[in-house]
Amino acid sequence: MPLLRSSVRGFSALEHHFADLLAEQMSIQTGHAPSPGERRSWQRSIPALRADLIDAGLHDVEMLVEYQLPLTSKRADVVLAGVHPRTGLPSYVVVELKQWSRAEAYEDSDVLVSIEQYGGRAVTHPSVQVEGYVDYIADFTSYLAEQEHSLVGAAYLHNATDTDVDDLLRRPGSERARLFTGQRRGAFSSFLAEHLSADHGGAAAADALLASKIAPSRQLLTVAADEVQRREMFVLLDEQRDAYEHVLHAVERARRANTKTAVIVSGGPGSGKSVIALSLMGELSRQGRTVVHATGSRSFTQTLRRVAGARSPRVQKLFKYFNSFMTAEPNDLDCLILDEAHRIRETSVNRYTRKAERERAQLQIHELLSAARVPVFLLDEHQVVRPGEMGTVQEIERYAAALGVDVEKISLDDQFRCGGSQVYVDWVLRLLGLSPGGPVRWPGDETFDVEVVDSPHELEHVLTTQHEGGYTARIAAGYCWPWSDPRPDGSLVPDVEIDDWSRPWNLRGDRSVGGAPPSALWASDPAGFGQVGCIYTAQGFEYDHAGVIIGPDLVWRDGRWVTVRDANRDPDFKSRTKVSDEEFERLVRNVYKVLLTRGMRSVHIYSTDPQTRDFLRTLVRP
């Protein structure tokens, strides 16, 4: 949805207060007020675009200002909706407006550009950025997939002359995206007239786009094989594309100049870290670079091996664990991609480690920094859920400095899980006390549904309906019940017992038993529905609809959260000498934060504690 919709003709009535309307809608839809810079950008750029539309005679074209891309919180500056002058079909032009007055290529890259107004910070070339928007809208809007149409993009640097951005103009435009400067205003008007007609029809085209069903986002693991083996399957947007290009540039720079750089990419759940990781795997493999992917999650690694190596078992060797690099030669790899890097442990030693390797073992973070010329750490600090996990930005920077390794940091601010709802992610962080301000009422978001249910029966009924409707759905719970091995006949023990409702946990082993998938595939195999997942099988994965059981280890009492350590059954949390009460509380809150942010379309929450349910009801549809 856009923050503002108006025809070019009708915009005249809004011209003097449209920035206030945009600011009001942004506050309503996102919970955040625009920055002064955003308001200035609107006030300077949008009237300039409207003037060009008027010059082109396109008075009845619809302007969708700050158009939210499906299932993300990212917004395109303006989407123009109208009718194609030659075909009479619906036609759309995505416009990215830039106030840049001067820009140049970043070092020798033709994709990254350096912006003088940003202090020389490197960002993605604007025509590449808008082309990504065009591809993304085409991929995720059912109406455009089902109907004939025209969809193109343009980056418009209305404050710049050709000389000011000469480096940018050297990159040729594509059929889907062009770049124009203020000096080429006439060419921009002609471009608009080539794709949009002066005839009526803009309102109907805009209605059709906005009413379109949004197709489910491409599931990360179902396309991993194509991504790694054959071609890039994902559309990377803005900060995602910046991170991707920074890594490629660092790898090329390391090859040419014999340098070493660590890249830290931090972001919340669903911000695109794993999409970046797999896109890099695919591109670097195609370039012939030595690249390996590693995680600290057995479930995630085994699932990637299964799907990415479906056609070629050789591909499975690209997917390792963090503890695979104890004996690696320094800088043997061009790039080591460390997904879920918040799960880095203190050391790589385990019960299978040979004695000789134990004796010379170093800190795991040291091993990972040493193994490649460009180690890439993709992490979310709020997903540290086990004792001994130390993958934080601060720790990585500290050890990198000790080794004399330069560090580049990139933050992913946009949400691609939870329906793209930054409002929901912020709500969860405040609910659990992981960000300041305390719990607040759920304000609602048309892109994501939140409900509190009264029983596990109701929870299962809702999720079953979604599962039978062709959506992915899972129930996950805090680790508050015993966990039995399967019975001799292969049946699973229904350990998660709440009153007269009971279901089994997901399997713990690597074999399918009784029709249930192995542990690593619980979140991605349809047969995983029917077992209750835990933090170790849900972390790193996504599904359309999430059901979350908050167990008796976290309850609401007297206006605050209270952790009940004796109600938790996780073996890793047992020892009070290894895990203090303070650390236990922090880890349990992180556990529920992860479970609550697995869904892409909805979450339904059930607490086993009546007082906690009553409290949650005051926040959600009181």
Side-chain angles (χ1 to χ4, degrees):
M1 291 291 292
L3 293 184
L4 177 67
R5 173 183 173 179
S6 171
S7 68
V8 173
R9 189 190 308 276
F11 191 80
S12 58
L14 309 173
E15 195 156 11
H16 299 296
H17 63 285
F18 78 93
D20 293 330
L21 294 175
L22 284 168
E24 180 183 10
Q25 284 302 308
M26 177 175 280
S27 297
I28 292 171
Q29 292 187 26
T30 70
H32 298 286
S35 67
E38 284 177 302
R39 290 185 69 107
R40 284 195 301 271
S41 177
W42 293 335
Q43 289 166 336
R44 295 171 183 173
S45 296
I46 294 172
L49 172 62
R50 179 177 179 261
D52 292 329
L53 288 162
I54 291 172
D55 285 351
L58 302 175
H59 301 274
D60 292 312
V61 164
E62 292 279 308
M63 302 168 61
L64 308 178
V65 183
E66 292 289 334
Y67 174 85
Q68 184 173 0
L69 275 61
L71 298 181
T72 84
S73 61
K74 176 54 60 183
R75 294 181 183 273
D77 287 340
V78 182
V79 174
L80 303 173
V83 175
H84 198 279
R86 291 193 305 275
T87 67
L89 296 170
S91 185
Y92 305 93
V93 179
V94 183
V95 182
E96 181 64 18
L97 297 165
K98 300 293 188 188
Q99 294 189 74
W100 303 347
S101 57
R102 189 175 298 277
E104 60 184 18
Y106 178 70
E107 297 183 359
D108 57 350
S109 173
D110 68 342
V111 176
L112 291 172
V113 298
S114 177
I115 311 305
E116 186 177 90
Q117 288 141 282
Y118 297 168
R121 181 167 68 90
V123 298
T124 302
H125 191 292
S127 64
V128 176
Q129 178 186 7
V130 77
E131 187 171 30
Y133 289 172
V134 168
D135 291 342
Y136 194 90
I137 291 170
D139 281 343
F140 289 86
T141 309
S142 297
Y143 171 77
L144 299 181
E146 296 164 0
Q147 304 292 327
E148 287 189 78
H149 66 279
S150 171
L151 175 62
V152 296
Y156 188 28
L157 283 60
H158 54 89
N159 284 342
T161 67
D162 288 6
T163 304
D164 295 331
V165 294
D166 180 58
D167 284 356
L168 278 61
L169 293 169
R170 291 175 186 170
R171 180 185 177 88
S174 70
E175 292 183 2
R176 300 193 306 284
R178 298 273 303 279
L179 179 108
F180 299 93
T181 65
Q183 184 176 328
R184 302 188 181 193
R185 186 168 179 256
F188 181 54
S189 293
S190 297
F191 171 81
L192 294 173
E194 288 174 12
H195 295 279
L196 297 165
S197 169
D199 296 338
H200 298 294
D207 288 347
L209 181 68
L210 297 177
S212 173
K213 184 174 68 174
I214 301 305
S217 62
R218 295 183 180 189
Q219 297 290 319
L220 173 65
L221 300 174
T222 59
V223 297
D226 285 326
E227 169 58 33
V228 172
Q229 294 178 58
R230 292 204 298 272
R231 62 186 181 277
E232 185 173 329
M233 292 289 292
F234 299 102
V235 177
L236 300 173
L237 300 174
D238 294 353
E239 291 85 359
Q240 293 178 334
R241 188 65 188 239
D242 293 346
Y244 170 83
E245 294 294 346
H246 267 287
V247 173
L248 293 181
H249 187 75
V251 171
E252 180 63 19
R253 183 174 57 208
R255 183 184 70 84
R256 290 184 177 181
N258 195 27
T259 59
K260 185 178 176 78
T261 304
V263 181
I264 303 174
V265 181
S266 60
S271 54
K273 298 183 295 294
S274 294
V275 170
I276 294 167
L278 288 178
S279 295
L280 286 168
M281 282 288 292
E283 181 57 30
L284 290 170
S285 297
R286 285 189 287 272
Q287 291 183 10
R289 309 289 181 225
T290 53
V291 57
V292 168
H293 182 287
T295 82
S297 165
R298 185 170 62 90
S299 295
F300 199 40
T301 297
Q302 289 193 12
T303 303
L304 286 171
R305 284 176 175 174
R306 179 193 186 214
V307 297
R311 295 179 180 89
S312 173
R314 292 173 58 193
V315 174
Q316 296 178 3
K317 298 177 183 178
L318 296 174
F319 296 92
K320 307 286 187 182
Y321 295 104
F322 290 161
N323 61 3
S324 302
F325 303 93
M326 293 178 66
T327 60
E329 290 294 324
N331 300 327
D332 230 11
L333 299 171
D334 290 321
C335 186
L336 175 57
I337 299 168
L338 303 160
D339 208 348
E340 302 273 299
H342 41 265
R343 303 198 66 175
I344 291 173
R345 311 285 289 185
E346 184 174 359
T347 74
S348 298
V349 172
N350 58 38
R351 66 178 185 271
Y352 302 111
T353 305
R354 296 173 182 173
K355 181 180 178 181
E357 293 175 355
R358 285 176 182 270
E359 292 174 350
R360 62 173 183 267
Q362 304 180 71
L363 291 174
Q364 188 173 84
I365 196 168
H366 185 284
E367 295 166 359
L368 299 175
L369 281 164
S370 299
R373 292 193 178 277
V374 181
V376 182
F377 300 85
L378 300 115
L379 58 88
D380 174 3
E381 294 179 299
H382 286 311
Q383 288 199 48
V384 174
V385 297
R386 265 183 166 171
E389 293 179 344
M390 53 186 297
T392 66
V393 174
Q394 184 178 8
E395 287 290 289
I396 295 168
E397 283 190 298
R398 183 160 71 91
Y399 284 102
L403 293 173
V405 178
D406 292 335
V407 173
E408 293 182 4
K409 293 184 292 183
I410 299 166
S411 175
L412 304 172
D413 297 323
D414 300 297
Q415 297 301 318
F416 286 74
R417 191 175 287 142
C418 309
S421 176
Q422 183 65 48
V423 176
Y424 174 67
V425 175
D426 290 344
W427 182 80
V428 169
L429 292 174
R430 290 188 62 172
L431 170 69
L432 296 173
L434 297 173
S435 66
V440 293
R441 287 185 177 182
W442 167 239
D445 190 324
E446 62 184 18
T447 66
F448 193 79
D449 293 329
V450 180
E451 298 287 350
V452 175
V453 298
D454 295 324
S455 71
H457 293 287
E458 182 182 354
L459 182 69
E460 185 173 51
H461 173 72
V462 170
L463 273 294
T464 299
T465 300
Q466 299 292 359
H467 177 68
E468 291 176 349
Y471 294 96
T472 52
R474 295 290 186 276
I475 295 176
Y479 199 156
C480 299
W481 291 268
W483 200 325
S484 306
D485 291 327
R487 301 184 180 101
D489 64 359
S491 59
L492 305 183
V493 180
D495 286 316
V496 184
E497 187 172 347
I498 304 169
D499 299 327
D500 62 341
W501 181 90
S502 61
R503 291 293 179 269
W505 288 110
N506 60 255
L507 288 174
R508 282 189 288 193
D510 296 334
R511 292 188 306 109
S512 176
V513 177
S519 169
L521 304 181
W522 169 81
S524 57
D525 190 315
F529 188 82
Q531 307 108 51
V532 178
C534 72
I535 182 61
Y536 304 123
T537 47
Q539 189 174 27
F541 296 93
E542 62 184 24
Y543 21 87
D544 293 318
H545 301 280
V548 178
I549 298 174
I550 300 176
D553 59 348
L554 185 66
V555 297
W556 185 262
R557 294 289 186 272
D558 300 322
R560 68 184 185 92
W561 288 107
V562 175
T563 53
V564 184
R565 189 157 188 168
D566 291 341
N568 188 280
R569 299 295 191 96
D570 191 331
D572 283 347
F573 293 166
K574 269 189 176 180
S575 172
R576 278 183 161 82
T577 59
K578 293 182 179 178
V579 183
S580 67
D581 288 343
E582 182 181 4
E583 186 179 11
F584 172 79
E585 179 173 335
R586 177 178 67 87
L587 294 173
V588 165
R589 292 183 192 223
N590 280 353
V591 164
Y592 284 112
K593 182 262 185 181
V594 172
L595 298 184
L596 286 166
T597 53
R598 298 302 93 192
M600 295 185 292
R601 293 173 174 271
S602 76
V603 64
H604 286 71
I605 308 168
Y606 171 76
S607 171
T608 59
D609 176 68
Q611 288 186 50
T612 305
R613 283 202 305 276
D614 290 342
F615 163 66
L616 291 171
R617 284 196 198 96
T618 67
L619 302 181
V620 181
R621 295 194 178 182

